[in-house]
């Protein structure tokens, strides 16, 4: 009996493709939408994990992409995927331009065991996002709240313009009455009048200002375009943060906030 149990635990779960149903579509910004998908075979995820989405054309051609789970694991039976529409993108344009409520989408997950955070892992946390890289970090922020965790979190979030800030209102609401959560925005292209946040790409000075109050024991999660992720990770190492406390996730080869 004991052997059986151990065997079950160590054999990795084979991820089956399943057909989800779109139960909600929310417009987040001019080129970002969140799709809420109901899953017939829902499994609790860990904040930071992703799903693979697979599209099949009538002629049988298939293509798949990964999308981070935006929702927290406490949301049962369904997941939120937040997708940025890339002008020449094969999958993101389909999801944006074709998918509506009631449609079915094939996916499998949750996937990933490295870029994850659970409240039991503690903190403090430094989260750094560029553009849609906010998605898995938002799952962490939402999970922290749902789990009533008071782990200190500082989120540094780089967007092109004010209107490109994904989850802006929700983040504004979350920081109210929660001294443990601080959000620092930087806008790289255009700023509204009276903007009080940062006004440039993330650099060493900005990283130091945001990271320093958390001390050297912070755990960092960085997600976004490759150049941003690499720059921030190298910057944190230069600031004396041990590399094994830094986790990274790259969304795309190019682009930038
Ligand atoms: C683990 C993981 C999680 C991800 N989570 C998300 C998510 O939550 N939300 C989200 O919107 N995307 C996410 N992505 C990116 C996503 O998987 C796709 O790469 C993206 O949607 C583009 O797919 P596409 O078919 O539309 O574009 P493609 O047809 O694959 O590419 C079109 C063009 O865009 C370039 N490109 C591809 N990806 C990007 C990118 N991310 N940024 C800029 N240029 C790019 C390509 O080089 C190409 O020139 C994630 C990627 C990974 C690996």
């Amino acid at each position: 009996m004991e052997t059986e149990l151990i065997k079950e635990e160590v054999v990795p779960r084979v991820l089956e493709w399943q057909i989800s149903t779109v139960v909600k579509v929310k417009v987040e910004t001019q080129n970002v939408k969140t799709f809420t998908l109901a899953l017939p075979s829902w499994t609790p995820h860990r904040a930071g994990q992703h799903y693979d989405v697979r599209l099949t054309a009538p002629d049988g051609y298939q293509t798949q992409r990964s999308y981070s789970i935006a929702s927290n694991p406490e949301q049962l039976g369904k997941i939120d995927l937040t997708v940025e529409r890339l002008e020449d993108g094969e999958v993101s344009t389909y999801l944006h331009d074709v998918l509506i409520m009631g449609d079915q989408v094939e996916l499998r997950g949750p996937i990933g065991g490295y870029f994850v955070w659970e409240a039991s892992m503690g903190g403090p946390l430094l989260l750094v996002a560029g553009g849609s890289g906010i998605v898995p970090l938002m799952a962490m922020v939402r999970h922290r709240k749902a789990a009533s965790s008071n782990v200190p979190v500082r989120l540094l979030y780089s967007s092109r313009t004010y209107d490109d800030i994904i989850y802006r209102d929700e983040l504004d609401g979350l920081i109210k009455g929660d001294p443990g959560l601080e959000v620092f925005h930087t806008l790289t292209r255009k700023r509204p009048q009276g903007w009080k946040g940062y006004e440039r790409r993330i650099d060493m000075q900005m990283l130091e200002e945001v990271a320093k109050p958390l001390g050297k024991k912070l755990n960092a999660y960085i997600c976004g375009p490759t150049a941003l992720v690499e720059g921030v990770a190298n910057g944190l190492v230069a600031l004396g943060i041990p590399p094994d406390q830094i986790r990274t996730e790259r969304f795309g080869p190019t682009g930038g906030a």
Side-chain angles (χ1 to χ4, degrees):
M1 190 63 182
E2 211 176 297
T3 328
E4 279 295 296
L5 274 177
I6 291 167
K7 208 170 127 199
E8 256 185 39
E9 274 170 21
V10 294
V11 173
R13 191 167 53 93
V14 178
L15 285 173
E16 304 281 354
W17 289 98
Q18 55 175 311
I19 309 286
S20 68
T21 305
V22 180
V23 293
K24 189 174 164 197
V25 180
K26 182 179 179 210
V27 174
E28 302 279 4
T29 71
Q30 58 170 356
N31 56 0
V32 176
K33 283 183 182 175
T34 294
F35 301 90
T36 303
L37 305 165
L39 302 171
S41 177
W42 178 82
T43 323
H45 64 272
R46 302 169 78 196
Q49 287 187 302
H50 67 272
Y51 269 75
D52 286 341
V53 170
R54 182 164 71 180
L55 304 181
T56 306
D59 65 0
Y61 165 77
Q62 288 191 320
T63 188
Q64 67 187 59
R65 299 287 185 278
S66 302
Y67 291 101
S68 299
I69 308 160
S71 43
N72 48 294
E74 291 78 8
Q75 174 176 289
L76 308 181
K78 52 192 180 183
I79 54 160
D80 293 348
L81 301 182
T82 299
V83 179
E84 177 182 3
R85 186 183 187 285
L86 300 180
E87 203 47 51
D88 56 346
E90 190 180 15
V91 172
S92 63
T93 50
Y94 173 85
L95 299 176
H96 267 256
D97 304 347
V98 180
L99 213 60
I100 54 167
M101 284 262 294
D103 280 353
Q104 299 200 309
V105 183
E106 194 176 21
L107 41 73
R108 67 173 178 193
I111 299 167
Y114 153 79
F115 195 81
V116 295
W117 181 76
E118 285 169 323
S120 58
M121 291 164 69
L125 295 185
L126 173 69
L127 310 179
V128 185
S132 57
I134 188 67
V135 178
L137 308 185
M138 194 62 183
M140 295 174 191
V141 169
R142 287 170 168 162
H143 166 58
R144 173 184 171 277
K145 182 174 169 64
S148 303
S149 161
N150 56 10
V151 161
V153 176
R154 297 192 130 211
L155 166 65
L156 174 58
Y157 180 15
S158 176
S159 307
R160 287 179 175 141
T161 73
Y162 185 71
D163 290 334
D164 289 318
I165 301 176
I166 309 169
Y167 315 129
R168 193 181 65 212
D169 292 345
E170 185 179 347
L171 284 169
D172 284 351
L174 281 168
I175 54 175
K176 289 194 185 112
D178 183 353
L181 174 67
E182 291 168 276
V183 178
F184 303 84
H185 289 286
T186 185
L187 299 180
T188 57
R189 295 210 180 157
K190 213 172 73 184
R191 272 79 48 184
Q193 244 190 345
W195 173 249
K196 294 199 172 66
Y198 290 110
E199 310 191 346
R200 57 188 198 270
R201 284 177 177 241
I202 297 172
D203 57 21
M204 281 300 284
Q205 192 196 332
M206 196 188 296
L207 260 185
E208 189 167 14
E209 282 168 11
V210 176
K212 212 171 179 181
L214 295 173
K216 294 266 158 61
K217 293 211 166 118
L218 63 81
N219 284 299
Y221 292 81
I222 312 163
C223 186
T226 304
L228 178 146
V229 170
E230 284 173 2
V232 171
N234 291 337
L236 289 177
V237 171
L239 289 175
I241 307 297
D244 64 357
Q245 290 167 216
I246 303 170
R247 292 180 176 82
T248 58
E249 182 107 285
R250 292 161 176 79
F251 270 12
T254 54

